[in-house]
Amino acid sequence: MTDTADTQPGWFSAEELQSVRGRMPLLYVQAVPVRVDEAGMVTHIGLLMRADESGDFNRSVVSGRVLYHERIRDALLRHLEKDLGPVALPRIPASLQPFTVAEYFPTPGITPFHDPRQHAVAMAYIVPVTGDCQPRQDALDLVWLTPEEAADPKVREEMTGGQGALVRQALAHVGQAL
Amino acid sequence: MTDTADTQPGWFSAEELQSVRGRMPLLYVQAVPVRVDEAGMVTHIGLLMRADESGDFNRSVVSGRVLYHERIRDALLRHLEKDLGPVALPRIPASLQPFTVAEYFPTPGITPFHDPRQHAVAMAYIVPVTGDCQPRQDALDLVWLTPEEAADPKVREEMTGGQGALVRQALAHVGQAL
Amino acid sequence: MTDTADTQPGWFSAEELQSVRGRMPLLYVQAVPVRVDEAGMVTHIGLLMRADESGDFNRSVVSGRVLYHERIRDALLRHLEKDLGPVALPRIPASLQPFTVAEYFPTPGITPFHDPRQHAVAMAYIVPVTGDCQPRQDALDLVWLTPEEAADPKVREEMTGGQGALVRQALAHVGQAL
Amino acid sequence: MTDTADTQPGWFSAEELQSVRGRMPLLYVQAVPVRVDEAGMVTHIGLLMRADESGDFNRSVVSGRVLYHERIRDALLRHLEKDLGPVALPRIPASLQPFTVAEYFPTPGITPFHDPRQHAVAMAYIVPVTGDCQPRQDALDLVWLTPEEAADPKVREEMTGGQGALVRQALAHVGQAL
């Protein structure tokens, strides 16, 4: 999974986290930021653009760990603020029922999702945002694409770890770009 | 089902609609208006209060028919504006997946829902509203209740046709008043 | 929408149904028949093959009207038996929450779904079937495709009215062929 | 959360697991076993009865951890077999979309769910079972209750950690005992 920066390491040292990563699934949340019209129709999908360690660019949705004693709602808020800035005004869903659960395995091919570092299980939500988005930290930019653009195979190739599949699931869930 | 006023009769005369009502299921939408906090938690549920033909008061959610050539999204918007006024600022869901489908039969006991006039099938949605609500038409008032208040058996008794069951389903879906 | 045969006309004459069709949305159910393995993974999707009035072949899922005083569950059972035969052993879902709601408009382009005859709103379900399927009536065959085959653009072209989009939504909902 | 026995400790020693438990959320699955009729209606809910360490009886649904490199589907199968025996014939859902996500906090009152040992996040599924259930290990019995019986406040009192709330959410999701 293309990881968005983790501002809080939790209560683990880097070594401890490394050790845990190889031995149990880690709980993640993922948020697909969208713009909607007055009738709730998704008009645009927001994808973060960043450079990875090798200097290549890739696109991703908002992603991050749920910390000890943190509610899923608060983890969503925290990661959205981390990636989209403090005035994005995300609308966290009233229900915690995710549109899908994405299982990222260190071994490719078990599911459409893959993360070489760990076994992560992400509850995925579609989150309308209405404010200004100012990507922070390591993200270079947030780009708003129409559903058609987001479904394009070229865009998909720029998403690693199966996040392109996640975006397609999100689009299908909102009845778009089918 | 406690019906909220239908501003547009569609393309039917009253007699024709009456005739159709006895012969096929009618498609409805229902919206449970809610107030949410920054993290998406439902803090209040909005119930309309109105007097029925016999002068009794009852409570209800927002309800109404989907018209010919009308999208579900637009039917939701229309009925929410009709019942909550023009500045309620409802957030129509990005996905059309309802939290439940309520089947109102003219015969009681087949499902928890009952409508003596007709067989109606309602797709039900939870709709956060952020603006001022000014109930119009025949509604006397819109009352905001906490999830605990809304789950109270007394409130439930004031809801006819099984709408109390619908409110409990909505509360369960958002993880409240369990 | 490619319509699968309607064995019961309801309480309408053909002329009356025709008249109603042009004036209000009709309630449909659609079922995507699937084969699943022991862990619930979808291994195959069943598509009906039939000839239309002009002699062309097309593929479709199971579709049909909900009749007056008929529960959605019973409409699903009836249409599945009509199209797959009496020993298909469909597993109707415990929850009526559909994976999507498909809005078929007589005007193309409003949604991905189109039905020149009518405005139909279909609640769509994924239905595992475990028994023998013997397509009846006008269907020539039921073909089981893998998720990859079902997602193929060629298969999609053989589905009219946007049913290819519906199948993609079903596949996305079960995490397949993304 | 009333925990059902964990047959596989994962790759952790008891001390290590204890240490991790206090520092990150653990990923769980929960399954509400149900009996359904031909039309998919839930007729009974299965609750496990067991004695806790102090000798008191309590009721619970099927619960357990997701292990490293284990799919959610396989975790569901494993825990269902562990608690209901090898011939229960559970029907794991085709879609991983849970009906709810239950957050168990070591601190009571943050959510309806509480687990003094740990912060656990459970994806919850309704699982029809059609075979014979033979509770194994520490469970004394599996009792099938009607939806009305399962919703009874007395039954609820026998469920600890908020599992009574989870059962109510499951019932609401299938449109029962409202």
Side-chain angles (χ1 to χ4, degrees):
Chain A
M1 159 165 34
T2 304
D3 220 38
T4 55
D6 224 339
T7 48
Q8 290 174 256
W11 281 251
F12 287 107
S13 70
E15 293 75 28
E16 283 174 314
L17 185 56
Q18 191 58 32
S19 156
V20 169
R21 274 195 159 129
R23 294 193 289 177
M24 62 187 298
L26 273 77
L27 181 65
Y28 271 67
V29 287
Q30 295 195 297
V32 181
V34 297
R35 297 284 196 200
V36 296
D37 69 16
E38 188 204 32
M41 278 288 281
V42 170
T43 59
H44 293 86
I45 288 204
L47 294 177
L48 294 162
M49 195 151 210
R50 51 167 58 85
D52 64 19
E53 290 160 19
S54 60
D56 289 336
F57 292 98
N58 62 55
R59 296 175 191 271
S60 66
V61 302
V62 173
S63 279
R65 274 214 294 140
V66 180
L67 297 179
Y68 181 69
H69 221 282
E70 184 182 42
R71 292 186 309 169
I72 288 166
R73 301 181 173 289
D74 296 317
L76 278 169
L77 266 182
R78 179 170 60 84
H79 289 292
L80 284 159
E81 180 168 348
K82 176 198 72 186
D83 283 341
L84 305 185
V87 292
L89 304 179
R91 298 175 179 175
I92 308 296
S95 168
L96 286 183
Q97 186 182 40
F99 72 91
T100 200
V101 178
E103 303 179 88
Y104 293 83
F105 282 93
T107 313
I110 297 175
T111 70
F113 307 105
H114 174 231
D115 185 343
R117 300 168 308 155
Q118 62 190 359
H119 174 196
V121 175
M123 280 169 295
Y125 299 92
I126 289 157
V127 180
V129 300
T130 55
D132 271 341
C133 294
Q134 305 155 349
R136 302 195 306 179
Q137 303 196 11
D138 61 336
L140 300 176
D141 206 359
L142 175 78
V143 183
W144 292 103
L145 304 175
T146 65
E148 290 70 29
E149 290 166 346
D152 191 280
K154 271 189 223 154
V155 169
R156 185 172 183 161
E157 277 165 34
E158 295 169 340
M159 305 189 76
T160 56
Q163 288 206 19
L166 191 80
V167 168
R168 287 182 94 87
Q169 282 181 288
L171 288 168
H173 188 66
V174 299
Q176 296 264 26
L178 304 164
Chain B
M1 159 164 36
T2 304
D3 220 38
T4 56
D6 223 340
T7 48
Q8 287 174 258
W11 280 251
F12 287 106
S13 70
E15 292 74 28
E16 283 174 314
L17 184 56
Q18 190 59 32
S19 156
V20 168
R21 275 199 158 124
R23 295 194 290 178
M24 63 187 299
L26 273 77
L27 182 65
Y28 271 67
V29 287
Q30 295 194 297
V32 181
V34 297
R35 297 284 196 200
V36 296
D37 68 16
E38 188 204 32
M41 277 288 281
V42 171
T43 59
H44 294 86
I45 288 205
L47 294 177
L48 294 162
M49 195 151 210
R50 50 168 58 85
D52 64 19
E53 290 160 19
S54 59
D56 289 335
F57 292 97
N58 62 56
R59 296 174 190 271
S60 66
V61 302
V62 172
S63 279
R65 275 215 293 140
V66 180
L67 297 179
Y68 181 70
H69 222 281
E70 183 182 44
R71 292 185 309 169
I72 288 166
R73 300 181 175 288
D74 296 316
L76 277 170
L77 266 182
R78 179 170 59 84
H79 289 291
L80 283 159
E81 180 168 348
K82 175 198 73 185
D83 283 342
L84 306 185
V87 291
L89 305 179
R91 298 174 178 175
I92 308 297
S95 168
L96 285 184
Q97 186 182 42
F99 72 90
T100 200
V101 178
E103 303 179 87
Y104 293 82
F105 282 93
T107 313
I110 297 175
T111 70
F113 307 105
H114 174 231
D115 186 343
R117 300 169 308 155
Q118 62 190 358
H119 174 196
V121 175
M123 279 168 296
Y125 299 92
I126 290 157
V127 179
V129 300
T130 56
D132 271 340
C133 295
Q134 305 155 349
R136 303 194 306 178
Q137 304 196 10
D138 61 335
L140 300 176
D141 207 359
L142 175 78
V143 183
W144 292 103
L145 304 175
T146 65
E148 290 70 30
E149 290 165 347
D152 190 281
K154 271 189 223 156
V155 170
R156 185 173 183 161
E157 278 166 32
E158 295 168 341
M159 305 190 76
T160 57
Q163 288 206 18
L166 190 80
V167 168
R168 287 181 92 86
Q169 283 182 287
L171 288 168
H173 189 65
V174 299
Q176 296 263 24
L178 303 164
Chain C
M1 158 165 36
T2 303
D3 219 37
T4 55
D6 224 339
T7 48
Q8 288 174 257
W11 281 251
F12 286 106
S13 70
E15 292 75 27
E16 283 174 314
L17 185 56
Q18 191 58 33
S19 156
V20 169
R21 274 196 158 127
R23 295 194 289 177
M24 63 187 298
L26 274 76
L27 181 65
Y28 270 67
V29 287
Q30 295 195 298
V32 181
V34 297
R35 297 283 197 202
V36 296
D37 68 15
E38 188 204 32
M41 278 289 280
V42 170
T43 59
H44 293 86
I45 289 205
L47 294 176
L48 295 161
M49 196 152 209
R50 51 167 58 87
D52 64 17
E53 291 160 18
S54 59
D56 288 336
F57 292 98
N58 62 57
R59 296 175 191 269
S60 66
V61 302
V62 173
S63 278
R65 274 215 295 140
V66 180
L67 297 179
Y68 181 69
H69 222 281
E70 184 181 43
R71 291 186 310 169
I72 288 166
R73 299 181 175 288
D74 296 317
L76 277 169
L77 266 182
R78 179 169 59 85
H79 289 292
L80 283 159
E81 181 168 347
K82 176 197 72 188
D83 283 342
L84 305 185
V87 291
L89 305 179
R91 297 174 178 175
I92 307 297
S95 168
L96 285 183
Q97 186 182 41
F99 72 90
T100 200
V101 178
E103 303 180 86
Y104 293 82
F105 281 93
T107 313
I110 297 175
T111 70
F113 307 105
H114 174 231
D115 185 343
R117 299 168 310 155
Q118 62 191 358
H119 174 196
V121 175
M123 279 169 296
Y125 299 92
I126 290 156
V127 180
V129 299
T130 55
D132 271 341
C133 294
Q134 305 155 349
R136 303 195 306 178
Q137 303 197 10
D138 61 335
L140 300 177
D141 206 359
L142 175 78
V143 183
W144 291 104
L145 303 175
T146 64
E148 290 68 30
E149 291 166 347
D152 191 280
K154 272 189 222 155
V155 170
R156 186 174 183 161
E157 277 166 34
E158 294 169 341
M159 306 190 75
T160 56
Q163 288 207 18
L166 191 80
V167 168
R168 287 182 92 86
Q169 283 182 288
L171 288 168
H173 188 64
V174 299
Q176 296 263 26
L178 304 165
Chain D
M1 158 165 35
T2 304
D3 219 38
T4 55
D6 223 341
T7 48
Q8 288 174 258
W11 281 250
F12 286 106
S13 70
E15 292 74 27
E16 283 175 315
L17 185 55
Q18 191 59 32
S19 155
V20 168
R21 274 197 159 126
R23 295 194 288 176
M24 63 187 299
L26 274 77
L27 182 65
Y28 271 67
V29 287
Q30 295 196 296
V32 181
V34 297
R35 297 283 196 200
V36 296
D37 68 16
E38 189 204 32
M41 278 287 281
V42 170
T43 59
H44 293 86
I45 288 205
L47 293 177
L48 294 162
M49 197 151 207
R50 51 168 58 87
D52 64 17
E53 290 160 19
S54 58
D56 289 335
F57 292 97
N58 63 55
R59 296 174 191 271
S60 66
V61 302
V62 173
S63 278
R65 274 215 293 141
V66 180
L67 298 179
Y68 182 69
H69 223 280
E70 183 181 43
R71 292 185 309 169
I72 288 167
R73 300 181 175 289
D74 296 316
L76 278 169
L77 266 182
R78 178 170 59 85
H79 289 292
L80 283 159
E81 181 169 347
K82 176 197 71 186
D83 283 341
L84 305 185
V87 291
L89 304 179
R91 298 174 177 174
I92 307 297
S95 167
L96 285 184
Q97 187 182 40
F99 72 90
T100 200
V101 178
E103 303 180 87
Y104 293 82
F105 281 92
T107 312
I110 296 175
T111 70
F113 307 106
H114 173 231
D115 185 342
R117 299 169 308 156
Q118 62 190 358
H119 174 198
V121 175
M123 279 169 295
Y125 299 92
I126 289 156
V127 179
V129 298
T130 55
D132 272 339
C133 295
Q134 305 155 348
R136 302 195 305 178
Q137 303 197 9
D138 62 335
L140 300 177
D141 207 358
L142 175 78
V143 183
W144 291 103
L145 304 175
T146 64
E148 290 70 29
E149 290 166 346
D152 190 280
K154 271 189 223 155
V155 169
R156 186 173 182 159
E157 278 165 33
E158 295 169 339
M159 306 190 75
T160 56
Q163 288 206 17
L166 191 80
V167 168
R168 287 182 93 85
Q169 282 181 289
L171 288 168
H173 188 65
V174 299
Q176 296 264 25
L178 303 164

